[in-house]
Amino acid sequence: MSIIARYRLNKDHSQTLHLENNLRLRRIFVFSIIFGIVALSLVELLNPADSVEVKKIYYSLYIIGGTVGLVLCYISHLHYTPIFFCIISFYCMLSIFLTVSTLTEFFVYFVAFSFIIVMLLNINPFVYTVTLILYDIALICLVQSNIVVISEKLVGPEILNIIILNSLVAYLSFWKRKFVITKYNLEKNINNEKEKSEKLLLNILPKKILEDLRDHGRSVPKSYENTTVLYCSISNITELSHSMEIQPFMDMLNKISYEFDSIVEEEQCLRIKTTGNVYMAVCGLPVPEEHHAEKMTKCAIKFVKYIEEYNKTAEEKVRIRVGLNSGKVVAGIVGIKRYIYDVFGDTVNTACRMENLSKEMKILSTVSTYNLVKDKFTFVPQPPVLVKGKGMLETYYIAQ
């Protein structure tokens, strides 16, 4: 990896740093204006008469530079102009300060302001180093040719001090960029791991419940009045497990489960769990859904149609039974260490009974679901059937 690549930022990170720089530059320019105004008001009191005019010009530049810089910050298409203006203004004021101060004061001023600029702004270290070199050359040439007149001679030791100070500032700018990149990479890795964790949790928890856990540290069980529960089972699972090899058998289960998940997600329903050969889904929670019965019925029909298509090419035929029921349920997280989001209630139990009583490749519905969607699907009434714990119930097969 080249040295330039080591300090390069990607587009998103670069844009983030640009926005941060713009905000900090606004504060710097506002401070410059305030500092210039305060300094101008005190200059006549704190300075001898012979230097008042020079100091007035010097501090006026803080006001002018701050005002111009602030305007540049608010012009959206000038991405890097405010930073360059800030650096150039700093060098200009530094040069003027040199004409009214000693070399020692100049060095202190240079170190202090350079440190502030590097710490506050995320400047490209290569660009900043080039500007330092160019400023060194220009300053030495201007002083040696007496274009910039200073009170002391700028000789070998002083020139060496300027070069050393600039080298330290350049090193500081590279260190800052390396620190920023390291911090960014660390945050990126943390965010990536967080996203992976959330994706894993979304496999067992609804998004709304996950948000409650993340924001509040807990999720309170809730009662939902209007839901539709689906139970689907592979009725010949025992036969398939004996006739198929382990890996093909598991591949078949995974394929069917994946397709069922896709159907449920497409209809904006929620898969609750798969246990052995049973697939359970619900619609109407954790976010209420007005058309819960219609959406869950569509899922049931698509389940059967998918299995029919699957059996056309499969060596081992799969047969399923589906049961539907609508009503009130209670939903919440079960467990402390290993979370599972589950639903409970008589509605759930009755849906399970419908699946048990259904014929293979058929969808058996209770009267509660029938009443909600009887105008949208074709139903075939069945003789009342005895349901454990419920007595005699009216049931309906859905014509596919």
Side-chain angles (χ1 to χ4, degrees), residues 228 230 232 259-271 279 281-283 292-306 320 322 324 363 377 398:
T228 297
L230 173 149
C232 175
E259 188 62 31
F260 283 4
D261 283 346
S262 299
I263 293 171
V264 167
E265 185 176 348
E266 180 183 346
E267 293 298 335
Q268 298 177 320
C269 300
L270 178 67
R271 190 275 299 269
Y279 186 99
V282 66
C283 188
H292 56 91
E294 180 182 353
K295 289 179 177 292
M296 202 77 266
T297 303
K298 286 181 179 179
C299 284
I301 294 172
K302 289 181 179 180
F303 280 13
V304 175
K305 287 184 176 180
Y306 169 73
I320 64 172
V322 184
L324 292 174
I363 304 165
F377 301 94
I398 299 175

Side-chain angles (χ1 to χ4, degrees), residues 113-151:
F113 273 75
S114 296
F115 181 81
I116 291 171
I117 288 176
V118 172
M119 287 294 99
L120 290 181
L121 302 177
N122 293 300
I123 306 171
N124 186 309
F126 295 99
V127 174
Y128 192 49
T129 301
V130 170
T131 63
L132 288 171
I133 295 173
L134 293 177
Y135 176 71
D136 285 349
I137 296 172
L139 179 64
I140 294 170
C141 292
L142 291 172
V143 171
Q144 297 300 339
S145 60
N146 292 324
I147 296 176
V148 173
V149 180
I150 60 176
S151 58

Side-chain angles (χ1 to χ4, degrees), residues 237 239-255 316:
I237 189 73
E239 176 187 331
L240 292 173
S241 65
H242 285 91
S243 63
M244 298 177 68
E245 296 292 332
I246 294 177
Q247 191 58 51
F249 176 72
M250 294 304 299
D251 290 342
M252 178 268 294
L253 290 179
N254 286 331
K255 184 177 181 180
E316 301 289 345

Side-chain angles (χ1 to χ4, degrees), residues 20 121 150 159 180 207 230 233 270 278 313 319 351 357 381 385-386:
E20 292 178 358
L121 302 177
I150 60 176
I159 293 175
V180 168
K207 185 177 181 180
L230 173 149
S233 71
L270 178 67
V278 178
T313 57
R319 299 189 297 275
L357 294 170
V385 62
L386 180 62

Side-chain angles (χ1 to χ4, degrees), residues 15-298:
Q15 181 64 21
T16 300
L17 292 184
H18 165 67
L19 294 175
E20 292 178 358
N21 282 338
N22 192 275
L23 180 61
R24 291 170 182 172
L25 280 169
R26 293 178 191 181
R27 294 171 181 171
I28 291 173
F29 290 134
V30 168
F31 174 80
S32 177
I33 295 171
I34 296 173
F35 175 78
I37 293 173
V38 173
L40 274 178
S41 63
L42 298 175
V43 68
E44 293 189 8
L45 297 175
L46 302 179
N47 292 276
D50 58 346
S51 64
V52 167
E53 292 303 320
V54 177
K55 291 292 180 67
K56 282 184 176 181
I57 295 173
Y58 173 70
Y59 291 123
S60 295
L61 290 176
Y62 278 91
I63 301 174
I64 297 171
T67 303
V68 174
L70 203 57
V71 171
L72 293 175
C73 285
Y74 283 94
I75 300 176
S76 59
H77 64 277
L78 299 178
H79 294 293
Y80 301 105
T81 304
I83 288 183
F84 284 118
F85 178 79
C86 179
I87 295 174
I88 292 171
S89 299
F90 163 62
Y91 289 148
C92 291
M93 292 178 183
L94 184 64
S95 301
I96 296 173
F97 183 79
L98 180 60
T99 64
V100 296
S101 64
T102 64
L103 287 174
T104 301
E105 292 173 332
F106 166 79
F107 291 142
V108 172
Y109 180 95
F110 172 79
V111 171
F113 273 75
S114 296
F115 181 81
I116 291 171
I117 288 176
V118 172
M119 287 294 99
L120 290 181
L121 302 177
N122 293 300
I123 306 171
N124 186 309
F126 295 99
V127 174
Y128 192 49
T129 301
V130 170
T131 63
L132 288 171
I133 295 173
L134 293 177
Y135 176 71
D136 285 349
I137 296 172
L139 179 64
I140 294 170
C141 292
L142 291 172
V143 171
Q144 297 300 339
S145 60
N146 292 324
I147 296 176
V148 173
V149 180
I150 60 176
S151 58
E152 303 175 55
K153 287 186 177 181
L154 193 61
V155 294
E158 285 72 24
I159 293 175
L160 182 60
N161 286 336
I162 292 175
I163 295 173
I164 292 174
L165 288 175
N166 279 327
S167 300
L168 291 174
V169 172
Y171 173 79
L172 183 63
S173 68
F174 278 94
W175 174 86
K176 175 68 181 301
R177 174 55 63 92
K178 190 66 176 177
F179 171 80
V180 168
I181 292 175
T182 301
K183 180 183 176 183
Y184 170 76
N185 290 334
L186 179 61
E187 291 175 349
K188 184 178 180 181
N189 290 336
I190 291 174
N191 289 332
N192 288 340
E193 292 301 319
K194 183 179 178 182
E195 289 178 3
K196 290 180 182 178
S197 299
E198 289 194 356
K199 285 180 180 179
L200 289 173
L201 287 172
L202 283 173
N203 289 327
I204 57 175
L205 297 176
K207 185 177 181 180
K208 178 66 170 60
I209 302 304
L210 183 59
E211 289 173 352
D212 289 342
L213 287 173
R214 183 181 59 204
D215 298 337
H216 308 294
R218 64 191 183 96
S219 178
V220 180
K222 294 181 181 178
S223 176
Y224 299 89
E225 296 291 334
N226 302 302
T227 68
T228 297
V229 179
L230 173 149
Y231 265 89
C232 175
S233 71
I234 300 176
S235 57
N236 62 331
I237 189 73
T238 303
E239 176 187 331
L240 292 173
S241 65
H242 285 91
S243 63
M244 298 177 68
E245 296 292 332
I246 294 177
Q247 191 58 51
F249 176 72
M250 294 304 299
D251 290 342
M252 178 268 294
L253 290 179
N254 286 331
K255 184 177 181 180
I256 292 174
S257 180
Y258 174 81
E259 188 62 31
F260 283 4
D261 283 346
S262 299
I263 293 171
V264 167
E265 185 176 348
E266 180 183 346
E267 293 298 335
Q268 298 177 320
C269 300
L270 178 67
R271 190 275 299 269
I272 297 298
K273 59 186 176 182
T274 56
T275 53
N277 65 320
V278 178
Y279 186 99
M280 179 186 177
V282 66
C283 188
L285 62 83
V287 179
E289 170 57 56
E290 181 182 358
H291 305 290
H292 56 91
E294 180 182 353
K295 289 179 177 292
M296 202 77 266
T297 303
K298 286 181 179 179

